[in-house]
Amino acid sequence: VDVNANSFTSQELKKALAKMKESEKAERKVSFLFLKQCTVRKKFRPIEQLKEEFEKLNMKMETDYEIMVKLISKFNSSASTLDEKVAALYDLEYYVHQV
């Protein structure tokens, strides 16, 4: 749109209005997503904070990844018995199935 002109055609006005509506919709969508993200943050605490609180209670919280690494090392260990290796594989199957 030529903003230096003294008058605008109806087509130019329609295009300008359409652009304004599009930008307003985009702004609303961004603000909605931001509000949604803020409410989610209020409901849930970060994993680091949860880990600290569990450590204060003398409880160690492990992620699925950490558990799977332990199971793999137990399976690869030569000190593990056959029953322990089979149990590790069954447990590992459960965690891999979730992924």
Side-chain angles (χ1 to χ4, degrees):
V1 177
D2 182 15
V3 292
N4 293 329
N6 291 335
S7 63
F8 301 104
T9 64
S10 63
Q11 289 296 86
E12 289 175 328
L13 289 173
K14 286 180 184 179
K15 286 180 184 178
L17 184 60
K19 283 186 179 182
M20 287 174 47
K21 286 182 180 180
E22 287 175 11
S23 65
E24 185 178 310
K25 284 181 185 178
E27 286 176 18
R28 273 197 226 139
K29 186 175 181 180
V30 168
S31 64
F32 173 75
L33 291 175
F34 178 74
L35 289 173
K36 187 175 180 181
Q37 191 177 35
C38 288
T39 56
V40 168
R41 284 186 179 157
K42 287 179 184 176
K43 281 185 180 179
F44 301 103
R45 293 176 281 175
I47 188 80
E48 293 81 18
Q49 183 182 0
L50 290 173
K51 283 183 179 181
E52 289 173 6
E53 291 177 8
F54 275 112
E55 284 177 9
K56 289 177 186 175
L57 297 171
N58 292 329
M59 297 176 70
K60 179 160 179 10
M61 188 174 82
E62 294 178 317
T63 62
D64 289 353
Y65 173 76
E66 293 169 335
I67 295 170
M68 288 192 299
V69 167
K70 284 184 180 181
L71 290 171
I72 291 170
S73 65
K74 182 183 275 190
F75 177 75
N76 288 334
S77 172
S78 59
S80 297
T81 64
L82 182 61
D83 290 335
E84 290 174 336
K85 289 183 178 191
V86 169
L89 283 176
Y90 277 118
D91 292 342
L92 188 61
E93 179 186 24
Y94 170 78
Y95 286 101
V96 171
H97 177 72
Q98 289 181 355
V99 174

Tab-separated table of all heavy atoms in Angstrom, residues 8 18 23 27 32 38 63 66 69 71 74-75 79 82 84-86 90 97:
chain	number	residue	atom	x	y	z
A	8	PHE	N	-6.750	6.327	-1.034
A	8	PHE	CA	-6.479	4.916	-1.272
A	8	PHE	C	-7.629	4.308	-2.043
A	8	PHE	O	-8.789	4.712	-1.871
A	8	PHE	CB	-6.313	4.178	0.057
A	8	PHE	CG	-5.193	4.710	0.913
A	8	PHE	CD1	-5.466	5.513	2.016
A	8	PHE	CD2	-3.885	4.427	0.607
A	8	PHE	CE1	-4.448	5.996	2.806
A	8	PHE	CE2	-2.858	4.912	1.393
A	8	PHE	CZ	-3.134	5.705	2.492
A	18	ALA	N	-7.092	-6.689	5.739
A	18	ALA	CA	-6.836	-8.126	5.834
A	18	ALA	C	-5.510	-8.382	6.548
A	18	ALA	O	-5.407	-9.285	7.384
A	18	ALA	CB	-6.834	-8.753	4.447
A	23	SER	N	-2.405	-10.119	11.353
A	23	SER	CA	-1.423	-9.849	12.402
A	23	SER	C	-2.072	-9.897	13.777
A	23	SER	O	-1.464	-10.351	14.746
A	23	SER	CB	-0.740	-8.501	12.171
A	23	SER	OG	-1.660	-7.444	12.294
A	27	GLU	N	-0.991	-12.354	16.813
A	27	GLU	CA	-0.681	-11.844	18.149
A	27	GLU	C	-1.510	-12.550	19.212
A	27	GLU	O	-1.009	-12.892	20.274
A	27	GLU	CB	-0.927	-10.336	18.209
A	27	GLU	CG	0.112	-9.507	17.494
A	27	GLU	CD	-0.223	-8.021	17.506
A	27	GLU	OE1	-1.051	-7.599	18.332
A	27	GLU	OE2	0.358	-7.287	16.691
A	32	PHE	N	-1.950	-16.393	23.581
A	32	PHE	CA	-2.628	-17.565	24.114
A	32	PHE	C	-1.619	-18.650	24.477
A	32	PHE	O	-1.707	-19.260	25.549
A	32	PHE	CB	-3.649	-18.109	23.109
A	32	PHE	CG	-4.258	-19.409	23.519
A	32	PHE	CD1	-5.213	-19.451	24.520
A	32	PHE	CD2	-3.864	-20.600	22.914
A	32	PHE	CE1	-5.769	-20.661	24.908
A	32	PHE	CE2	-4.413	-21.797	23.294
A	32	PHE	CZ	-5.376	-21.833	24.302
A	38	CYS	N	2.453	-20.471	30.774
A	38	CYS	CA	2.554	-19.969	32.151
A	38	CYS	C	1.707	-20.802	33.104
A	38	CYS	O	2.142	-21.103	34.217
A	38	CYS	CB	2.144	-18.506	32.221
A	38	CYS	SG	3.338	-17.392	31.481
A	63	THR	N	15.688	-41.273	36.339
A	63	THR	CA	14.940	-41.194	35.089
A	63	THR	C	14.944	-42.566	34.425
A	63	THR	O	15.721	-43.450	34.787
A	63	THR	CB	15.568	-40.164	34.141
A	63	THR	OG1	16.895	-40.588	33.812
A	63	THR	CG2	15.604	-38.786	34.779
A	66	GLU	N	18.360	-43.421	33.059
A	66	GLU	CA	19.335	-43.881	34.055
A	66	GLU	C	19.082	-45.338	34.436
A	66	GLU	O	20.019	-46.127	34.578
A	66	GLU	CB	19.274	-42.996	35.303
A	66	GLU	CG	19.743	-41.580	35.075
A	66	GLU	CD	19.438	-40.659	36.237
A	66	GLU	OE1	18.489	-40.922	36.998
A	66	GLU	OE2	20.160	-39.653	36.373
A	69	VAL	N	20.275	-47.609	31.585
A	69	VAL	CA	21.741	-47.734	31.569
A	69	VAL	C	22.188	-48.738	32.622
A	69	VAL	O	23.061	-49.587	32.368
A	69	VAL	CB	22.408	-46.357	31.790
A	69	VAL	CG1	23.880	-46.492	32.087
A	69	VAL	CG2	22.192	-45.468	30.574
A	71	LEU	N	20.421	-51.243	33.830
A	71	LEU	CA	20.007	-52.588	33.398
A	71	LEU	C	20.941	-53.132	32.325
A	71	LEU	O	21.289	-54.321	32.343
A	71	LEU	CB	18.562	-52.552	32.887
A	71	LEU	CG	17.488	-52.334	33.950
A	71	LEU	CD1	16.134	-52.098	33.291
A	71	LEU	CD2	17.422	-53.519	34.894
A	74	LYS	N	24.100	-54.159	33.988
A	74	LYS	CA	23.896	-55.413	34.731
A	74	LYS	C	23.903	-56.600	33.768
A	74	LYS	O	24.473	-57.650	34.048
A	74	LYS	CB	22.584	-55.374	35.501
A	74	LYS	CG	22.339	-56.630	36.328
A	74	LYS	CD	21.002	-56.600	37.020
A	74	LYS	CE	21.150	-55.866	38.316
A	74	LYS	NZ	19.943	-55.995	39.173
A	75	PHE	N	23.275	-56.422	32.605
A	75	PHE	CA	23.236	-57.491	31.615
A	75	PHE	C	24.635	-57.784	31.073
A	75	PHE	O	25.005	-58.946	30.879
A	75	PHE	CB	22.299	-57.127	30.461
A	75	PHE	CG	22.272	-58.146	29.365
A	75	PHE	CD1	21.597	-59.337	29.533
A	75	PHE	CD2	22.939	-57.924	28.169
A	75	PHE	CE1	21.574	-60.289	28.534
A	75	PHE	CE2	22.914	-58.867	27.163
A	75	PHE	CZ	22.237	-60.050	27.334
A	79	ALA	N	29.754	-60.641	36.255
A	79	ALA	CA	29.455	-61.099	37.615
A	79	ALA	C	27.979	-61.454	37.784
A	79	ALA	O	27.611	-62.116	38.755
A	79	ALA	CB	29.845	-60.022	38.623
A	82	LEU	N	22.769	-65.881	35.367
A	82	LEU	CA	21.848	-66.002	34.242
A	82	LEU	C	20.465	-65.459	34.614
A	82	LEU	O	19.831	-64.760	33.822
A	82	LEU	CB	21.744	-67.458	33.789
A	82	LEU	CG	20.846	-67.718	32.589
A	82	LEU	CD1	21.355	-66.974	31.362
A	82	LEU	CD2	20.729	-69.186	32.317
A	84	GLU	N	19.760	-63.121	36.809
A	84	GLU	CA	19.840	-61.664	36.881
A	84	GLU	C	19.834	-61.040	35.487
A	84	GLU	O	19.209	-59.999	35.266
A	84	GLU	CB	21.095	-61.228	37.636
A	84	GLU	CG	21.053	-61.525	39.120
A	84	GLU	CD	22.361	-61.218	39.824
A	84	GLU	OE1	23.427	-61.221	39.157
A	84	GLU	OE2	22.313	-60.962	41.034
A	85	LYS	N	20.516	-61.701	34.547
A	85	LYS	CA	20.529	-61.189	33.176
A	85	LYS	C	19.152	-61.282	32.535
A	85	LYS	O	18.716	-60.358	31.843
A	85	LYS	CB	21.569	-61.943	32.338
A	85	LYS	CG	22.994	-61.612	32.714
A	85	LYS	CD	23.983	-62.309	31.826
A	85	LYS	CE	25.395	-61.901	32.230
A	85	LYS	NZ	26.401	-62.320	31.289
A	86	VAL	N	18.457	-62.374	32.777
A	86	VAL	CA	17.108	-62.542	32.231
A	86	VAL	C	16.174	-61.500	32.844
A	86	VAL	O	15.377	-60.866	32.135
A	86	VAL	CB	16.589	-63.978	32.483
A	86	VAL	CG1	15.103	-64.097	32.159
A	86	VAL	CG2	17.392	-64.979	31.663
A	90	TYR	N	14.064	-58.528	30.899
A	90	TYR	CA	12.624	-58.301	31.033
A	90	TYR	C	12.332	-56.860	31.464
A	90	TYR	O	11.426	-56.209	30.925
A	90	TYR	CB	12.000	-59.280	32.034
A	90	TYR	CG	11.681	-60.630	31.437
A	90	TYR	CD1	12.288	-61.778	31.911
A	90	TYR	CD2	10.750	-60.757	30.406
A	90	TYR	CE1	12.003	-63.020	31.370
A	90	TYR	CE2	10.456	-61.989	29.856
A	90	TYR	CZ	11.084	-63.113	30.337
A	90	TYR	OH	10.795	-64.329	29.794
A	97	HIS	N	9.796	-50.588	25.669
A	97	HIS	CA	8.433	-50.602	25.124
A	97	HIS	C	7.748	-49.265	25.326
A	97	HIS	O	6.979	-48.816	24.467
A	97	HIS	CB	7.615	-51.713	25.785
A	97	HIS	CG	6.188	-51.768	25.338
A	97	HIS	ND1	5.830	-52.212	24.085
A	97	HIS	CD2	5.048	-51.410	25.943
A	97	HIS	CE1	4.520	-52.122	23.952
A	97	HIS	NE2	4.018	-51.646	25.071
